Amino acid sequence: MIRVQAEPYEFEFDPARTALVMIDFQRDFVYPGGFGESLGNDTSYLLKALPPAERVLKACRAAGIFVVHTREGHRGDLSDLPVTKYERGKPSLHIGDPGPMGRLLVRGEYGHDIVEEVYPIDGEPVVDKPGKGAFYATDMDTILKTRGIRWLIVCGVTTEVCVQTSVREANDRGYDALVLSDAVGSYFPEFQRVALEMIKAQGGIFGWVSDSESFLSALQVSHPDAVAAARAGG
């Protein structure tokens, strides 16, 4: 077992039964000109999460830890898009409207896909989800249980929406999740802080919180070459 310094207390996991979950690192959310910015958000807060997430991803790949990516988006005919979600917030651009990177949050469009820094490689499933959580209306649970996964390392965006929703869903399904605070991001610094506090509150009611360096330091004990290469950018 590997032990990571975390809050509210040490997080233990077996790499052979662990998955790194990369939540919604999509161009529409992370890059300027996408759906997130159309809602009036500052994407720079999300961009800050990319370098730590990339290091964690590289280390996990080199260590042989299973990796799963998620994308939020909808069918081209929008038949899986509830009107409540379409109208929420009275945005200047709606889901499905043309944007700088294609139709916003529509599967198959350039903006819907994952950013190059953490793009999936062969053998890493991509779970397309119509909602906030990684488990709602998806095969995420089946994928994880088929692999015998018990522990999750979580990176992604946004912390208070898709990340926290997915961690809550994971908790209800019997998974222990560790959220890496600098490898998740919110458009709102206060939301970032409060969302992480909620996850680790009351003895870890939904999960654990640590950071990328603490995770890499723990992984380095058993996989020194994997972590060294990730920290060096290789």
Side-chain angles (χ1 to χ4, degrees):
M1 298 290 282
I2 293 177
R3 295 171 174 83
V4 183
Q5 291 300 311
E7 293 182 305
Y9 52 89
E10 197 173 58
F11 181 82
E12 297 185 43
F13 70 98
D14 175 1
R17 298 186 59 202
T18 297
L20 171 65
V21 182
M22 303 287 287
I23 297 177
D24 296 6
F25 277 118
Q26 296 163 249
R27 299 181 184 111
D28 259 337
F29 293 138
V30 177
Y31 287 163
F35 180 64
E37 191 175 72
S38 78
L39 297 175
N41 297 311
D42 181 354
T43 62
S44 66
Y45 292 113
L46 272 58
L47 287 168
K48 290 178 182 177
L50 269 179
E54 185 178 6
R55 287 191 292 272
V56 169
L57 175 61
K58 288 179 177 178
C60 286
R61 283 171 173 167
I65 293 174
F66 184 56
V67 179
V68 184
H69 303 259
T70 74
R71 296 181 297 203
E72 181 180 351
H74 298 275
R75 298 174 180 272
D77 62 4
L78 305 183
S79 58
D80 60 348
L81 175 63
V83 66
T84 51
K85 184 176 181 181
Y86 179 80
E87 296 289 354
R88 189 66 48 84
K90 296 182 179 180
S92 59
L93 289 174
H94 290 86
I95 294 172
D97 287 349
M101 293 182 279
R103 296 177 66 205
L104 297 176
L105 284 190
V106 170
R107 296 174 188 174
E109 298 288 334
Y110 181 78
H112 171 261
D113 209 357
I114 295 167
V115 300
E116 285 73 12
E117 292 92 333
V118 293
Y119 203 80
I121 61 174
D122 288 345
E124 296 177 354
V126 178
V127 174
D128 283 315
K129 58 190 186 67
K132 309 298 189 295
F135 292 85
Y136 168 69
T138 75
D139 54 1
M140 173 67 95
D141 195 43
T142 300
I143 290 170
L144 297 178
K145 288 209 162 57
T146 298
R147 298 276 307 208
I149 299 297
R150 162 70 190 281
W151 294 275
L152 306 178
I153 309 300
V154 180
C155 303
V157 300
T158 62
T159 310
E160 77 279 9
V161 183
C162 295
V163 170
Q164 191 182 109
T165 301
S166 299
V167 168
R168 288 170 181 249
E169 290 179 332
N171 178 258
D172 285 341
R173 288 162 176 80
Y175 301 97
D176 285 335
L178 174 67
V179 178
L180 302 182
S181 60
D182 57 334
V184 296
S186 168
Y187 298 119
F188 309 98
E190 182 66 6
F191 289 3
Q192 169 89 352
R193 182 187 69 79
V194 173
L196 294 172
E197 290 287 345
M198 291 173 69
I199 289 169
K200 65 186 180 182
Q202 300 181 67
I205 191 167
F206 299 122
W208 287 254
V209 175
S210 187
D211 59 78
S212 63
E213 280 304 305
S214 294
F215 172 76
L216 292 174
S217 295
L219 188 64
Q220 188 173 26
V221 174
S222 57
H223 297 84
D225 292 341
V227 173
R231 282 178 167 156

